[in-house]
Amino acid sequence: MQIFLDTADSKEVRQWLGQGIVDGVTTNPSILHKEGVHDPAEGAAQLCALLGDKPISLEVTSNDREEMVRQGRSYARWAANVVVKIPICTEEGESCLGVVHELAGAGVKVNCTAILSFNQAILAAKAGATYVSLFAGRIADEGGDPGIVIANVRRWLDLWRSPAQIIVGSIRSVMDIQQAALAGAHIITIPPSFLPKMVDHKYSRETVRQFNRDAQKAVAQMARARAAQ
Ligand code: E4P
């Protein structure tokens, strides 16, 4: 399973890349806005360079499907690791599968986003998306069970040997990460603030403290034994 960071914060990306757990990055217009990135091209350039050949998803910013294709083609020229995020439908619920299909046909890697149901996911995979982004938190907001949706989509992709991969996003708690991992997500995109919580445990701290204390006692004992010789 891969881990992507759901952020546009290059400091966080650099920090967690150094710890060997980052396989890619996802962004969306809300994340860029939160990070104060007003020019997506500028923000992307820094992240693309930082990530080397690891993928970075950048979302189109228009509700017009022709404009989505235009933006998608343009983003894809920015760097070889750019993946273009296309929503499953417009604000009016019209299909964006044609956009996914056209870009995929032109060799652009597409992350089909804002997916909240099994049916949306299988259509996105059929249209040629490299990634289908299931929004766990938003599925749960609506009373759905993200674990069931993730497991069903994974089963279908495997059954039909689809190359599409599930990215689970919209993570709201550490428990969402565990649930997505066990349900069969290929990738989970995690806001960096959750990673220290995944690492830390009060009993791990106590265990490390105990070992360090005993190691110091052993060193002191050896020093005493040497002094007595
Ligand atoms: C990732 O690709 C998504 O854009 C992101 O995880 C959505 O998260 P949200 O539901 O918290 O906005």
Side-chain angles (χ1 to χ4, degrees), residues 1-4 23 134 136-137 145-152 154-155 158 166-190 195 198:
M1 196 198 79
Q2 296 194 339
I3 291 180
F4 287 1
D23 301 296
L134 291 172
D145 183 333
I148 293 175
V149 180
I150 296 162
N152 285 342
R154 178 61 192 259
R155 199 148 49 90
D158 289 350
I166 299 169
I167 302 180
V168 176
S170 190
I171 294 297
R172 306 269 169 82
S173 72
V174 168
M175 192 59 199
D176 291 344
I177 298 166
Q178 181 172 327
Q179 189 187 33
L182 294 174
H186 295 95
I187 300 154
I188 306 179
T189 188
I190 304 178
L195 292 170
M198 292 169 74

Side-chain angles (χ1 to χ4, degrees), residues 6 26-28 59 85 113 133 135 138 169-172 189:
D6 204 16
T26 52
T27 65
N28 63 37
E59 189 155 348
K85 263 175 126 178
T113 193
S133 276
F135 278 20
R138 292 185 193 241
S170 190
I171 294 297
R172 306 269 169 82
T189 188

Side-chain angles (χ1 to χ4, degrees), residues 19-195:
Q19 303 203 34
I21 59 144
V22 178
D23 301 296
V25 160
T26 52
T27 65
N28 63 37
S30 305
I31 289 173
L32 292 176
H33 179 68
K34 199 179 106 207
E35 293 302 332
V37 181
H38 304 302
D39 178 359
E42 210 179 280
Q46 204 184 5
L47 289 167
C48 287
L50 207 53
L51 284 161
D53 59 358
K54 298 181 196 297
I56 168 165
S57 289
L58 301 170
E59 189 155 348
V60 293
T61 56
S62 173
N63 193 47
D64 177 81
R65 286 170 287 182
E66 278 176 24
E67 176 61 12
M68 287 182 198
V69 173
R70 202 197 58 73
Q71 285 186 4
R73 285 180 182 275
S74 151
Y75 292 2
R77 284 193 292 269
W78 292 350
N81 56 338
V82 166
V83 175
V84 176
K85 263 175 126 178
I86 301 293
I88 181 70
C89 63
T90 65
E91 290 177 21
E92 293 76 28
E94 291 157 332
S95 170
C96 294
L97 294 169
V99 177
V100 173
H101 191 58
E102 186 172 340
L103 289 173
V108 175
K109 285 202 168 133
V110 176
N111 172 351
C112 190
T113 193
I115 294 184
L116 300 171
S117 74
F118 174 86
N119 285 331
Q120 289 177 322
I122 67 172
L123 291 178
K126 291 275 302 175
T130 299
Y131 303 107
V132 294
S133 276
L134 291 172
F135 278 20
R138 292 185 193 241
I139 291 171
D141 285 345
E142 293 267 288
D145 183 333
I148 293 175
V149 180
I150 296 162
N152 285 342
V153 174
R154 178 61 192 259
R155 199 148 49 90
W156 186 90
L157 293 175
D158 289 350
L159 180 65
W160 296 103
R161 295 194 173 82
S162 168
Q165 293 200 306
I166 299 169
I167 302 180
V168 176
S170 190
I171 294 297
R172 306 269 169 82
S173 72
V174 168
M175 192 59 199
D176 291 344
I177 298 166
Q178 181 172 327
Q179 189 187 33
L182 294 174
H186 295 95
I187 300 154
I188 306 179
T189 188
I190 304 178
S193 60
F194 291 108
L195 292 170

